[in-house]
């Protein structure tokens, strides 16, 4: 255990510096918070609710995984994510089994538009399930630290009370300020524990009891895609103004019901790589990411559906058809950057790789 030390650099952390793991804190039986610092002492500048993409050195080669940040930028000396390994997880499983304090990882970000700072409102409704609680925790900690807790109804769904991540910390906040109201619902109770919260899946009646004025609230939702779809459809059916509904997902390419116009494949496309000299033919229906992989060029990627920005590459010439989910700005597109995971070459395209 190290002695306390002064560590404060004048510049914010930039992604060319690896992150050093400092702590791994168990949260529930299958979930842990992993805290990182910048070895230079740089501080972290981001918006509560944003995400970070980590490069994980798996035995078969590095993989990129995107995680919502669970810490708050109001505590800028470290940054943390809170992870739970699903049954098919590779990257998160590796972190829980192998990552130890002192190890360093490359990271990109922070990025993302899912933050209540971008949608100022008098009243909020946070709705989360499972590890979808992480961006809500970041935003709630920010509100607490700022000393101006807005009116937040915080609804969280979990399997059992023991699975509620951050329960004690949130109850500590809620016990001290009037603005934060916690509403937990669980599918099953724990043995030998009195459960005073809701029981069962979130539904319209439950929502009406938890937040009778939900129509007046700016809604932030995060959780598994089926959960978010249920919340989205429920609110839409109840006549909620869906321009005031925001969700974060790292699991689905595009919300159901959203049609995406992908131009018909260009008859003959070619991808050329200026730095390596490689070239590969493509019919224009596959993404730049997979065509590059066929040419033996690995472009780092995370979400694979245009959200995290990990696969951003510089295009030198040519046209691509690109349908993204917010992982790139208009300004970056104007400068010729593309997201390889969701861009399809239209004719000959030259990349700076
Ligand atoms: S991999 Fe996330 S935007 Fe392409």
């Amino acid at each position: 255990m190290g002695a306390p030390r002064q560590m404060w650099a004048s510049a914010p952390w930039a992604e060319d510096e690896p992150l050093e793991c400092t702590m791994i804190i168990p949260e529930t039986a299958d979930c842990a918070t992993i805290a990182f610092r910048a070895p230079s002492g740089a501080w972290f500048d981001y918006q509560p609710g944003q995400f970070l993409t980590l490069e994980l050195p798996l035995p078969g080669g590095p993989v990129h995984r995107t995680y919502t940040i669970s810490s708050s930028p109001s505590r800028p000396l470290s940054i943390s994510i809170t992870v739970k390994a699903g049954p098919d997880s590779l990257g998160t499983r590796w972190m829980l089994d192998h990552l130890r304090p002192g190890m360093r990882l490359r990271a990109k970000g922070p990025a993302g538009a899912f933050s209540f700072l971008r949608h100022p409102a008098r009243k909020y409704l946070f709705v989360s399930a499972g590890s979808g609680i992480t961006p809500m925790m970041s935003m709630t900690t920010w509100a607490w630290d700022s000393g101006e807790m807005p009116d937040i109804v915080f609804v969280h769904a979990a399997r059992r009370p023991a699975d509620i991540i951050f329960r004690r910390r949130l109850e500590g906040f809620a016990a001290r300020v009037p603005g934060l109201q916690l509403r937990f619902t669980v599918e099953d109770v724990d043995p030998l524990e009195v459960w005073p919260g809701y029981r069962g899946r979130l539904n319209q009646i439950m929502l009406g009891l938890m937040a009778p004025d939900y129509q007046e609230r700016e809604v932030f939702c995060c959780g598994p895609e089926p959960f978010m779809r249920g919340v989205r459809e429920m609110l839409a059916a109840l006549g909620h103004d869906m321009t005031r509904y925001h969700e974060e997902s790292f699991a689905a390419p595009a919300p159901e019901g959203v049609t995406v116009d992908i131009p018909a494949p260009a008859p003959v496309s070619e991808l050329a790589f200026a730095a390596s000299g490689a070239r590969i033919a493509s019919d224009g229906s596959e993404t730049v990411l997979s065509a590059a992989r066929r040419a033996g060029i690995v472009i780092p990627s995370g979400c694979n559906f245009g959200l995290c920005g990990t696969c951003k590459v510089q295009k030198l010439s040519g046209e691509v058809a690109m349908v993204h989910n917010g992982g790139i700005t208009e300004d970056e597109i104007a400068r010729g950057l593309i997201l390889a995971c969701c861009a399809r070459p239209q004719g000959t395209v030259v990349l700076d790789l």
Side-chain angles (χ1 to χ4, degrees):
M1 195 175 292
R5 57 194 158 132
Q6 177 92 28
M7 38 178 281
W8 190 271
S10 55
W13 175 77
E15 55 190 31
D16 49 7
E17 181 182 11
L19 296 178
E20 182 178 305
C21 173
T22 54
M23 279 191 289
I24 300 175
I25 307 158
E27 298 285 356
T28 65
D30 56 355
C31 168
T33 291
I34 303 175
F36 298 94
R37 72 179 188 103
S40 66
W43 47 280
F44 294 92
D45 182 20
Y46 58 96
Q47 291 192 325
Q50 286 193 302
F51 58 80
L52 195 63
T53 301
L54 296 178
E55 183 178 300
L56 306 173
L58 263 60
V63 299
H64 292 80
R65 292 289 181 268
T66 297
Y67 298 97
T68 314
I69 300 164
S70 54
S71 54
S72 163
S74 49
R75 304 174 184 192
L77 287 183
S78 66
I79 194 164
S80 38
I81 56 171
T82 300
V83 299
K84 186 173 175 171
D88 305 325
S89 148
L90 277 181
T92 305
R93 189 72 265 160
W94 178 87
M95 275 204 290
L96 291 175
D97 292 346
H98 300 287
L99 189 62
R100 296 289 174 266
M103 288 169 67
R104 293 183 181 187
L105 297 178
R106 296 171 61 81
K108 276 176 176 258
F114 186 77
S115 177
F116 71 166
L117 295 187
R118 292 179 179 229
H119 301 279
R122 228 168 32 83
K123 294 181 173 187
Y124 293 96
L125 173 61
F126 292 173
V127 189
S128 59
S131 56
I133 200 169
T134 51
M136 314 307 181
M137 187 65 199
S138 178
M139 292 190 278
T140 306
T141 307
W142 169 271
W144 169 268
D145 287 348
S146 72
E148 293 175 0
M149 180 66 74
D151 180 337
I152 300 173
V153 173
F154 192 135
V155 174
H156 181 68
R159 223 161 16 98
R160 292 169 179 275
D163 295 322
I164 300 174
I165 308 166
F166 306 130
R167 180 178 170 189
R168 302 278 174 246
R169 248 179 289 168
L170 285 168
E171 286 175 343
F173 288 159
R176 289 167 179 79
V177 288
L180 178 63
Q181 300 169 64
L182 301 179
R183 305 283 185 259
F184 297 132
T185 181
V186 297
E187 288 175 26
D188 274 316
V189 294
D190 291 322
L192 307 179
E193 188 187 333
V194 176
W195 172 247
Y198 291 81
R199 182 123 186 238
R201 286 175 186 243
L202 186 62
N203 57 39
Q204 295 186 5
I205 295 170
M206 209 186 269
L207 181 67
L209 291 170
M210 291 169 158
D213 56 353
Y214 62 85
Q215 297 283 21
E216 299 168 25
R217 294 179 179 270
E218 196 83 21
V219 182
F220 285 80
C221 182
C222 187
E225 175 52 27
F227 174 82
M228 290 198 298
R229 192 188 317 128
V231 174
R232 197 189 312 134
E233 288 175 357
M234 178 169 66
L235 286 169
L238 289 167
H240 188 74
D241 173 4
M242 296 307 278
T243 61
R244 303 186 67 205
Y245 171 84
H246 316 277
E247 67 178 28
E248 186 70 299
S249 167
F250 299 116
E256 234 176 52
V258 174
T259 53
V260 169
D261 288 332
I262 297 176
V268 184
S269 292
E270 187 182 45
L271 210 50
F273 301 90
S276 65
R279 306 182 85 85
I280 188 132
S282 162
D283 67 0
S285 66
E286 71 181 329
T287 63
V288 168
L289 186 69
S290 61
R293 200 171 290 143
R294 281 198 299 113
I297 292 177
V298 177
I299 301 174
S301 64
C303 66
N304 288 322
F305 61 94
L307 177 72
C308 70
T310 309
C311 62
K312 212 173 285 170
V313 289
Q314 180 71 51
K315 174 171 67 73
L316 297 176
S317 65
E319 295 298 324
V320 297
M322 182 166 69
V323 181
H324 65 90
N325 280 298
I328 189 165
T329 64
E330 289 304 316
D331 189 46
E332 289 171 325
I333 294 171
R335 286 191 276 120
L337 289 160
I338 61 167
L339 294 177
C341 72
C342 55
R344 291 170 169 80
Q346 304 290 295
T348 298
V349 172
V350 182
L351 299 178
D352 189 17
L353 286 173

